[in-house]
Amino acid sequence: MQGADPRTPEQIDSFVDAFYERVLVDPVLAPLFLEVAQVDITEHLPRIKAYWRKMLLGESDYQRHMMRKHREVDARQPFADEHYERWLFLFEETLTKHPLGAQTERASELARRVAGNMRQNLKRFRALT
């Protein structure tokens, strides 16, 4: 039910699946996810889905600290501005094709905030180490 309010976890899960289908074949992001981070997508997707369900639906099944994992990846290969920009571009484009109803703008704002905070925190952490 495209464009409906994401009142169910399945609607958000479907969006995340569509987003990661694009990320994992993207020439900028796929190497970072698959080669550098060596993401096991079968473990990663349920976590990411839980994160977005928490952020958009208020569910409490996501209890991880995302910065620790991203710091580990950043230590292997620093995230570049192009990584954040490409991630946001694909996120926004996926939202256009798979809108989340009344939560679409909120998801977009959260994605921009997540990317901005991560960029700032990782740069700061790199400067301290």
Side-chain angles (χ1 to χ4, degrees):
M1 171 156 100
Q2 195 171 7
D5 287 349
R7 300 283 182 220
T8 66
E10 293 80 17
Q11 290 169 303
I12 292 172
D13 291 355
S14 178
F15 167 79
V16 171
D17 285 336
F19 175 59
Y20 272 86
E21 282 176 17
R22 303 192 66 204
V23 166
L24 296 176
V25 297
D26 184 77
V28 174
L29 296 178
L32 189 62
F33 277 79
L34 301 173
E35 296 166 22
V36 179
Q38 299 180 341
V39 168
D40 178 345
I41 201 65
T42 60
E43 290 181 17
H44 188 67
L45 276 180
R47 289 181 187 133
I48 297 304
K49 290 173 182 179
Y51 173 80
W52 285 103
R53 288 192 309 262
K54 176 181 180 177
M55 299 305 288
L56 296 173
L57 299 176
E59 291 187 2
S60 60
D61 56 340
Y62 182 84
Q63 300 297 325
R64 298 177 60 91
H65 187 291
M66 83 159 87
M67 286 308 299
R68 183 179 59 80
K69 286 290 187 187
H70 288 89
R71 284 180 186 144
E72 292 171 6
V73 174
D74 188 69
R76 287 183 227 136
Q77 177 184 321
F79 289 92
D81 287 342
E82 73 175 326
H83 294 125
Y84 299 105
E85 292 162 10
R86 187 67 183 163
W87 185 88
L88 278 171
F89 173 80
L90 291 178
F91 193 95
E92 296 285 344
E93 199 171 67
T94 305
L95 270 179
T96 299
K97 294 178 182 181
H98 302 274
L100 295 173
Q103 294 286 0
T104 300
E105 185 56 35
R106 181 154 190 257
S108 177
E109 290 170 10
L110 287 168
R112 288 191 300 270
R113 190 176 327 143
V114 165
N117 288 343
M118 187 173 300
R119 182 185 322 210
Q120 182 180 29
N121 288 334
L122 290 175
K123 285 182 178 181
R124 187 179 312 129
F125 186 75
R126 242 183 271 140
L128 295 173
T129 57

